[in-house]
Amino acid sequence: YLRGNLGSPPGGFPEPLRTHALAAKNMAPVEGRPGASLPDWDFDEAFNELTAKYEGTTRHITAQDVLSEALYPAVFADFMEHVLVYGELEHLPTHVFLKPLEKGQEVEFDDARGRRQYVTYESRSDVDASGSRRISMSVNGEAWQFRVTDEAALAGPAGGSGPKLRKKAGRNDEDVGAPMPGVVVSVKVKEGDAVKKGETLFVLSAMKMESTIVAPKDGKVSSILVNDGDGVEAEDLLAKID
């Protein structure tokens, strides 16, 4: 701040405090408007790059996205990773985003198309061997079910705060492991599905890039150990194929 990277306050910086503070850090002050020394930014080129990078996703790049990526590239990349996994959540009421629904609780909101949605949290199953639960929701009176990972169950006894340890994939053609650390964007198959060698099983977001994880052989998916949005480490076991 005292260097002037955020600009100068009205009336200038207090002296000799500023001079002494910069001298102690061997730093030179920034004179004038900080942004004047930045190189020109090609917003059209940035728009085209982002559009190409996220081609095939549900996100349509906007001018706001281009500006966000220019100002906060790491934050924008994390935001886009979240959007690719969970979709657009800006229409969800803030209190629901911050605090999970209780069983039997209903929330209503207008979606991106302006349609009113009534969502009720009905029930959840016990945790299975993979750390997953089956969640039942009612959406406008229609029953929806999906599988999610219980992060507390993976954290260990009594909801410990240690690392979430997953079983590692073995060196065989039955285990499907994560090639690198990342986030599971999409699970493309379900347990019991018959798959062919090379068929896409998962989409993984790693190092801000998406990659596919494919079946190592023909067979039947006997177990899936991750869900959309799960963070994984290298060689974590994702699925088994018989």
Side-chain angles (χ1 to χ4, degrees):
Y1 171 74
L2 288 176
R3 190 183 181 198
N5 285 332
L6 300 179
S8 299
F13 291 98
E15 292 290 359
L17 173 63
R18 184 195 193 196
T19 300
H20 293 330
L22 294 181
K25 296 291 186 179
N26 195 28
M27 299 173 65
V30 174
E31 303 296 347
R33 185 174 65 85
S37 61
L38 293 175
D40 292 338
W41 186 261
D42 191 330
F43 286 94
D44 291 334
E45 181 181 353
F47 176 84
N48 292 333
E49 289 178 353
L50 287 178
T51 300
K53 181 176 181 179
Y54 295 104
E55 183 180 6
T57 70
T58 57
R59 180 77 176 188
H60 298 289
I61 299 300
T62 65
Q64 182 178 354
D65 292 332
V66 175
L67 184 59
S68 298
E69 200 273 340
L71 293 173
Y72 311 105
V75 174
F76 179 76
D78 289 342
F79 166 74
M80 286 299 297
E81 188 172 88
H82 189 274
V83 168
L84 294 178
V85 173
Y86 300 106
E88 307 281 354
L89 300 180
E90 60 262 35
H91 296 281
L92 195 67
T94 303
H95 72 278
V96 177
F97 180 81
L98 296 177
K99 182 180 179 181
L101 293 174
E102 301 288 342
K103 289 184 181 179
Q105 184 179 353
E106 181 184 74
V107 61
E108 60 180 271
F109 58 93
D110 292 333
D111 64 15
R113 299 180 181 179
R115 298 177 301 188
R116 179 56 57 103
Q117 303 287 346
Y118 297 88
V119 179
T120 305
Y121 173 28
E122 300 289 356
S123 64
R124 70 177 185 180
S125 69
D126 293 334
V127 179
D128 63 20
S130 71
S132 299
R133 294 182 185 269
R134 288 284 180 182
I135 304 297
S136 297
M137 309 284 285
S138 172
V139 182
N140 295 334
E142 180 181 345
W144 285 31
Q145 290 191 348
F146 48 92
R147 198 174 86 159
V148 300
T149 299
D150 189 319
E151 299 290 347
L154 286 180
S161 58
K164 298 175 176 58
L165 300 178
R166 295 183 182 275
K167 187 176 181 180
K168 295 299 182 180
R171 298 190 179 280
N172 55 68
D173 61 358
E174 296 180 354
D175 290 359
V176 180
M180 65 188 76
V183 175
V184 178
V185 173
S186 180
V187 179
K188 297 296 186 182
V189 293
K190 60 182 183 296
E191 292 179 353
D193 282 357
V195 295
K196 295 291 186 181
K197 182 177 180 180
E199 183 176 342
T200 298
L201 305 178
F202 306 95
V203 178
L204 184 71
S205 176
M207 296 182 292
K208 315 309 177 188
M209 299 285 289
E210 285 191 9
S211 60
T212 57
I213 300 175
V214 302
K217 66 173 186 174
D218 295 351
K220 182 180 178 180
V221 179
S222 60
S223 63
I224 295 177
L225 305 175
V226 293
N227 302 294
D228 293 356
D230 284 1
V232 295
E233 297 297 326
E235 299 183 4
D236 278 358
L237 181 62
L238 307 182
K240 292 184 75 70
I241 299 178
D242 292 338

